[in-house]
Amino acid sequence: MIPLTLPPLRDRLDDIPVLAQHFAEKFAKQAGRQVPDLHPEFIAGLIGHPWPGNARELCNFMRRVVTMANDSHIGPEHLAREFPRPPAARVFPGHGLLQTGTSIRDLERQLLETTLQLTGGNRTHAAEMMGISLRTIRNKIRQFGLPPRRFA
């Protein structure tokens, strides 16, 4: 075996359209369907997604989209179903997140604590609300020395 190190997909934006077309062709053929046309806005949306799961996430996404598409056209409406916009930011008075002299670290900790309180300690929902991974939530809880189950 030869170990290969590839940069994450978010750092290889030029690969996304090529991979998306490849996966579209592959899954259309497997389903006995016509290969769908990928609308430029669809491709632009793919390029704008961070792809934390890298090419595997893109592959699974394209499998779902090709399977669910009712015609031979895949457009931006297919992105909306898979990547709904995050909920609008909410302001919760009294949490004092923006005070002069507060360090970024303290702001991050306060934001994490507030979000965990709002979600009743549900780390998965907190990660979705904050736009970060569940792993990052766990790491931040550990980094800030927060009790692991304090918010439950």
Side-chain angles (χ1 to χ4, degrees), residues 49-135:
H49 185 68
W51 300 109
N54 288 311
R56 183 176 300 165
E57 181 184 3
L58 177 60
C59 176
N60 292 333
F61 170 78
M62 290 303 299
R63 177 181 293 138
R64 285 191 307 275
V65 169
V66 170
T67 302
M68 302 301 276
N70 293 327
D71 55 18
S72 62
H73 168 79
I74 295 179
E77 66 277 7
H78 294 92
L79 285 173
R81 280 187 235 141
E82 291 288 327
F83 301 131
R85 299 207 191 290
R90 293 180 270 175
V91 176
F92 297 95
H95 289 287
L97 288 177
L98 296 176
Q99 294 179 359
T100 305
T102 304
S103 71
I104 297 294
R105 179 181 166 84
D106 289 341
L107 285 173
E108 189 175 27
R109 179 188 173 127
Q110 289 174 13
L111 180 60
L112 177 61
E113 287 179 319
T114 301
T115 305
L116 285 167
Q117 287 170 353
L118 291 171
T119 62
N122 187 316
R123 296 174 183 185
T124 302
H125 289 138
E128 290 170 0
M129 287 177 73
M130 295 177 74
I132 58 178
S133 70
L134 180 58
R135 177 184 225 168

Side-chain angles (χ1 to χ4, degrees), residues 4-23:
L4 294 177
T5 303
L6 290 175
L9 191 55
R10 69 179 169 272
D11 294 341
R12 298 179 291 131
L13 299 180
D14 292 341
D15 291 352
I16 292 173
V18 176
L19 287 169
Q21 184 64 45
H22 165 74
F23 293 135

